[in-house]
């Protein structure tokens, strides 16, 4: 079997930065809190939990510094943290911060703010706060058709697909006199999506590694399914079944932005060991 890892796969800049900030903070303290899981990867969250990074769901009863994860938080969360006098480490990804700034700018300039993304994703929930909860979150061309306004300003959740964003923007352009578009889809996502697509085209089977709760991993899975008929989304090598590889020659591996490289290595080696049997 030929096993190929996608050119761009695994931890992105923002996740790597957040993990490094957590590591640095834990050198000096026994315990810190992360406001929600540090990344959408259960294995990494568990590993860090053991090291002293506790997942916090609410700001009550905090007795250690808080790490704001790469997805960011809405402005009122900063207000609450400051009011309570809690120390915090801000690991919001700079690309997410940029999208938050654009949401605020569009809102202040009286655009009807449209956020392309998943309304339940923490990054999108935070973006909404920067447009004072007056933005509309959409996730399809159908939903874009319903937005009619003189001035529309649009941003995207950083992990959305470039093609789908372009289709939504094309639709919005029919309904507005003025349309301002900030393409806030981050480079890392685009690169992972492109390399996953290229690899899926030449593979008989694709393995997508990443948390089931990771939006960008799920998106890689969807993209791979368009170009390859055997695609499996796994979190660890333990889920792999040897029978998947019967009559398979070319295997491709890709991984979401919250998947550590050690997990990619483990999956690679496990598939290699199946091939050797
Ligand atoms: S996917 Fe992009 S925007 Fe999101 S954390 Fe990673 S680098 Fe930042």
């Amino acid at each position: 079997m030929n096993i190929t890892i996608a050119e761009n796969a695994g931890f992105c800049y923002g996740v790597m930065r957040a993990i490094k900030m957590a590591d640095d903070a834990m050198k000096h303290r026994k315990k810190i809190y992360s406001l929600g899981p540090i990344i959408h990867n259960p294995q990494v969250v568990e590993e860090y939990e053991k090291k002293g990074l506790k997942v916090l769901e609410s700001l009550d009863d905090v007795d250690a510094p808080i790490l704001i994860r790469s997805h960011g938080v809405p402005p009122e969360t900063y207000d609450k943290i400051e009011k309570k006098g809690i120390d915090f480490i801000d690991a919001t990804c700079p690309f997410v911060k940029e999208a938050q700034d654009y949401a605020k700018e569009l809102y202040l300039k009286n655009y009807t703010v449209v956020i392309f993304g998943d309304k339940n994703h923490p990054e999108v929930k935070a973006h909404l706060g920067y447009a004072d909860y007056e933005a509309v979150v959409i996730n399809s061309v159908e939903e874009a058709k319903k937005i009619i306004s003189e001035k529309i300003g649009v941003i995207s959740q950083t992990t959305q697909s470039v093609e789908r964003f372009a289709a939504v923007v094309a639709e919005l352009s029919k309904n507005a006199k003025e349309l301002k578009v900030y393409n806030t889809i981050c480079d890392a996502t685009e690169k992972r999506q492109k390399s996953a697509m290229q690899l899926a085209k030449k593979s008989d089977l694709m393995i997508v590694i990443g948390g089931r709760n990771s939006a960008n991993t799920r998106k890689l899975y969807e993209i791979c399914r368009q170009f390859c008929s055997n695609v499996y989304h796994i979190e660890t090598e333990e889920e792999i079944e040897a029978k998947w590889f019967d009559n398979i020659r070319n295997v491709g591996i890709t991984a979401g932005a919250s998947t550590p490289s050690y997990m990619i290595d483990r999956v690679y080696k496990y598939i290699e060991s199946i091939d050797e049997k």
Side-chain angles (χ1 to χ4, degrees):
M1 259 186 322
N2 304 312
I3 313 167
T4 312
I5 299 173
E7 207 182 321
N8 293 284
F11 271 3
C12 62
Y13 161 76
V15 165
M16 216 133 59
R17 180 174 171 270
I19 293 279
K20 184 167 183 318
M21 287 169 99
D23 284 337
D24 288 349
M26 283 188 300
K27 277 182 199 156
H28 311 289
R29 319 205 184 228
K30 275 207 170 114
K31 180 165 82 176
I32 58 171
Y33 289 109
S34 142
L35 207 43
I38 182 164
I39 55 172
H40 286 160
N41 185 301
Q43 289 74 34
V44 175
V45 170
E46 204 185 307
E47 184 194 324
Y48 273 79
E49 175 98 19
K50 284 182 198 145
K51 289 191 199 170
L53 181 66
K54 308 287 172 204
V55 177
L56 183 78
E57 297 299 340
S58 121
L59 288 173
D60 301 325
D61 305 324
V62 177
D63 56 358
I66 291 180
L67 179 111
I68 295 173
R69 58 192 175 165
S70 56
H71 296 319
V73 290
E76 66 273 17
T77 303
Y78 287 104
D79 295 345
K80 273 190 211 156
I81 290 174
E82 273 162 27
K83 228 184 235 163
K84 284 179 177 267
I86 306 166
D87 275 351
F88 70 98
I89 304 143
D90 194 351
T92 308
C93 174
F95 302 125
V96 171
K97 244 214 164 77
E98 191 179 53
Q100 294 171 346
D101 291 344
Y102 287 140
K104 188 172 177 181
E105 177 201 310
L106 291 169
Y107 171 72
L108 293 176
K109 289 186 176 164
N110 295 318
Y111 285 88
T112 297
V113 183
V114 175
I115 302 169
F116 175 62
D118 170 2
K119 63 178 188 310
N120 297 316
H121 193 280
E123 181 195 317
V124 172
K125 286 184 181 169
H127 289 332
L128 270 168
Y130 291 87
D132 215 13
Y133 296 96
E134 290 196 15
V136 192
V137 181
I138 61 166
N139 206 6
S140 67
V141 169
E142 281 314 303
E143 286 172 310
K145 283 183 184 158
K146 294 179 198 149
I147 299 168
I148 297 162
S149 170
E150 292 254 310
K151 280 174 74 164
I152 297 178
V154 57
I155 64 161
S156 175
Q157 180 183 349
T158 53
T159 45
Q160 288 293 318
S161 118
V162 180
E163 285 74 22
R164 292 187 61 235
F165 182 57
V168 159
V169 166
E171 189 57 46
L172 289 173
S173 70
K174 297 176 191 167
N175 301 341
K177 270 207 178 135
E178 189 189 339
L179 176 67
K180 187 142 190 152
V181 182
Y182 285 119
N183 178 357
T184 49
I185 295 175
C186 103
D187 202 18
T189 308
E190 210 175 319
K191 280 186 183 157
R192 272 156 193 73
Q193 290 175 357
K194 272 197 186 133
S195 11
M197 182 175 77
Q198 281 158 0
L199 188 58
K201 280 182 184 167
K202 36 185 197 191
S203 301
D204 309 311
L205 183 145
M206 281 295 293
I207 299 281
V208 183
I209 319 165
R212 294 211 160 71
N213 55 349
S214 151
N216 75 83
T217 307
R218 289 201 304 264
K219 215 140 277 153
L220 287 178
Y221 172 77
E222 281 165 28
I223 290 169
C224 290
R225 272 174 50 124
Q226 289 170 31
F227 301 98
C228 177
S229 46
N230 298 304
V231 185
Y232 296 95
H233 177 178
I234 58 167
E235 287 187 350
T236 76
E237 77 284 8
E238 285 159 19
E239 295 165 58
I240 296 175
E241 294 178 33
K243 65 174 185 218
W244 295 350
F245 302 91
D246 290 346
N247 304 317
I248 295 290
R249 265 188 92 77
N250 298 306
V251 177
I253 299 175
T254 186
S258 44
T259 305
S261 53
Y262 71 77
M263 187 54 74
I264 303 175
D265 287 349
R266 265 158 51 178
V267 168
Y268 183 94
K269 290 199 179 105
Y270 192 80
I271 300 172
E272 235 180 11
S273 72
I274 292 174
D275 196 30
E276 283 159 8
K277 278 180 193 159

